Amino acid sequence: MKKTKIKYCTNCMMSEMRPRITFDEKGVCSACAWTEEKKTEIDWKDRWQQLVDLCNSNKSTGRFDCIVPVSGGKDSSYVAYMMKHKLKMNPLCITITPSLTLDIGQKNLKNFIGSGYDLLQIDVNPKVLAAIDKIGLVEHGRPMLGWMTAVQTAILRLAVDLKIPLVMYGEEGETEYGGTSKLKNQAFYDIEDSINLYLSGSDPKEYADVLSEDELVWFKYPTAEELRTVGLKIAHFSHFENWDPYHHYLIAKEHCGLQESEERVQGTYNNFAQTDTILYNLHVYFMYLKFGFGRCSQDVGIDIRRGALDRKQGLALVKAYDREEPAEEHILKYLEYYKMTRDEFDAVVDKHVNKSLFTKIDNKWEPIFDLQ
């Protein structure tokens, strides 16, 4: 069988199939190039001072100064910790509860609150959330599209309604992990970026055909006029400090009660990242089938860039874990959640598989590309 040739980063294991990724003349991907650029070309003292000035200009007495979206995981816990304890802000932490939560994720969220934070938890109408997640699954191969949308729309809606002029998200994932460099040197982003980059072009307005105005209350962006009235600034913490997920894990463990899963998580080798819902397992499996790289490739890239792995070790890990399928017990929960039969579910999987990267053998999708 003829193999499909894929170009891989010469430093990490990320491939050319990642949307919006670029490579330099040495074959180094944009994420790895950014890692090196951060060491020599970014004045982090200056960027931190920008953050200090931003926070000082937004401090108030007797009310919340900023919103920090949190999940109870390592990165958002770290951002909340830094905003409160290092920058002396009074953050309102907000979580959008995903569907099909894991016990460890809920425990970590509870531990985070108990470590000293105000948290507003939004439990979106589960029927509406499931309906948008199903649209995401069937039409786009993105099983968590409803939740991913609400993390943008509902957070910004609350910022406007509560008149809190600063929202501080975690990392700018495009720059950090190998996408467009559009926001590399921008402290803030806008609604257009939110839709095109973080929702991959899925404008929530498209759901108006199947859901009512009232049902979509958490899935609508504020208007441009509302944003101007509040003076809302939407920022990423990674713009102001060199982003280091493993350092975040250590800080969240020490100060926010973060606990690891007893076993490694599906599709990779670590046990402390993205442990809030089993839908994430399906999300990264679809990512693998569409683009030929999965959860392990992403984690390997992070660890190679921070010097914890070399490329040979990373290649071995990706070969071992990237293609791991969701557990059968989880698939049964997916069928119930999406209200689908197994045949319908399998048909959706088949629809989104990249046929230039996979072929079906004995009713199972097998890769026809070589990791290298």
Side-chain angles (χ1 to χ4, degrees), residues 295-345:
R295 190 176 197 169
C296 190
S297 289
Q298 295 189 134
D299 290 344
V300 159
I302 292 170
D303 282 339
I304 286 177
R305 290 176 208 121
R306 72 180 183 90
L309 291 175
D310 61 32
R311 198 179 188 283
K312 182 178 179 181
Q313 292 169 320
L315 176 59
L317 288 167
V318 170
K319 286 182 175 180
Y321 298 122
D322 230 16
R323 63 186 294 181
E324 193 168 31
E325 300 177 8
E328 187 64 28
E329 63 186 272
H330 289 172
I331 291 178
L332 294 176
K333 292 181 180 180
Y334 300 150
L335 298 181
E336 181 180 2
Y337 178 64
Y338 295 115
K339 293 182 170 54
M340 303 174 77
T341 66
R342 184 58 184 263
D343 286 344
E344 290 171 334
F345 179 82

Side-chain angles (χ1 to χ4, degrees), residues 47-109:
R47 287 202 178 187
W48 184 261
Q49 187 58 50
Q50 292 176 34
L51 178 58
V52 170
D53 294 343
L54 175 65
C55 289
N56 287 340
S57 67
N58 281 281
K59 283 181 180 176
S60 59
T61 302
R63 59 173 295 147
F64 296 109
D65 303 312
C66 63
I67 287 175
V68 177
V70 302
S71 64
K74 57 181 174 52
D75 294 322
S76 57
S77 296
Y78 175 80
V79 174
Y81 172 82
M82 294 295 287
M83 293 297 286
K84 180 170 184 174
H85 294 286
K86 300 301 180 182
L87 293 151
K88 307 304 179 185
M89 297 289 277
N90 183 24
L92 173 61
C93 299
I94 300 179
T95 188
I96 310 298
T97 307
S99 300
L100 304 185
T101 57
L102 286 163
D103 290 343
I104 185 65
Q106 292 300 295
K107 187 173 184 178
N108 279 330
L109 187 61

Side-chain angles (χ1 to χ4, degrees), residues 273-293:
Q274 285 87 34
T275 58
D276 46 353
T277 170
I278 63 170
L279 280 179
Y280 189 77
N281 298 348
L282 187 60
H283 169 77
V284 292
Y285 183 59
F286 266 83
M287 182 173 69
Y288 175 68
L289 293 177
K290 290 193 295 181
F291 304 114
F293 71 90

Side-chain angles (χ1 to χ4, degrees), residues 108-162:
N108 279 330
L109 187 61
K110 183 177 180 180
N111 289 348
F112 169 79
I113 298 168
S115 65
Y117 295 87
D118 295 292
L119 181 131
L120 183 61
Q121 183 165 328
I122 306 299
D123 293 326
V124 176
N125 181 335
K127 293 182 178 180
V128 176
L129 184 58
I132 299 177
D133 277 345
K134 187 171 183 178
I135 292 172
L137 173 74
V138 174
E139 300 300 327
H140 308 289
R142 282 181 279 157
M144 297 180 66
L145 184 57
W147 179 84
M148 294 168 69
T149 300
V151 167
Q152 296 289 317
T153 54
I155 297 293
L156 302 186
R157 166 50 53 197
L158 285 167
V160 166
D161 290 350
L162 298 174

Side-chain angles (χ1 to χ4, degrees), residues 131-317:
I132 299 177
D133 277 345
K134 187 171 183 178
I135 292 172
L137 173 74
V138 174
E139 300 300 327
H140 308 289
R142 282 181 279 157
M144 297 180 66
L145 184 57
W147 179 84
M148 294 168 69
T149 300
V151 167
Q152 296 289 317
T153 54
I155 297 293
L156 302 186
R157 166 50 53 197
L158 285 167
V160 166
D161 290 350
L162 298 174
K163 295 181 172 57
I164 300 175
L166 176 62
V167 175
M168 186 62 71
Y169 286 93
E171 76 270 47
E172 201 291 283
E174 290 287 303
T175 302
E176 291 296 325
Y177 306 132
T180 177
S181 59
K182 180 178 186 290
L183 299 178
K184 182 171 69 173
N185 294 308
Q186 295 184 32
F188 310 111
Y189 74 96
D190 58 24
I191 302 299
E192 183 180 354
D193 294 324
S194 177
I195 294 172
N196 292 334
L197 301 182
Y198 309 128
L199 299 182
S200 297
S202 294
D203 191 326
K205 291 178 181 177
E206 69 184 72
Y207 311 133
D209 293 337
V210 292
L211 294 163
S212 71
E213 191 81 4
D214 289 341
E215 289 174 319
L216 291 173
V217 65
W218 292 118
F219 299 93
K220 294 184 293 185
Y221 284 102
T223 66
E225 180 59 31
E226 288 176 314
L227 295 174
R228 282 194 296 269
T229 299
V230 176
L232 184 63
K233 297 180 180 66
I234 314 166
H236 288 106
F237 197 86
S238 63
H239 177 80
F240 305 103
E241 184 186 72
N242 194 349
W243 191 253
D244 184 348
Y246 190 74
H247 174 65
H248 304 166
Y249 158 65
L250 297 177
I251 295 297
K253 185 174 175 63
E254 179 180 359
H255 296 286
C256 303
L258 181 74
Q259 296 184 16
E260 306 88 350
S261 175
E262 292 182 359
E263 300 177 347
R264 68 173 181 84
V265 293
Q266 174 208 304
T268 194
Y269 52 93
N270 72 48
N271 64 344
F272 57 82
Q274 285 87 34
T275 58
D276 46 353
T277 170
I278 63 170
L279 280 179
Y280 189 77
N281 298 348
L282 187 60
H283 169 77
V284 292
Y285 183 59
F286 266 83
M287 182 173 69
Y288 175 68
L289 293 177
K290 290 193 295 181
F291 304 114
F293 71 90
R295 190 176 197 169
C296 190
S297 289
Q298 295 189 134
D299 290 344
V300 159
I302 292 170
D303 282 339
I304 286 177
R305 290 176 208 121
R306 72 180 183 90
L309 291 175
D310 61 32
R311 198 179 188 283
K312 182 178 179 181
Q313 292 169 320
L315 176 59
L317 288 167

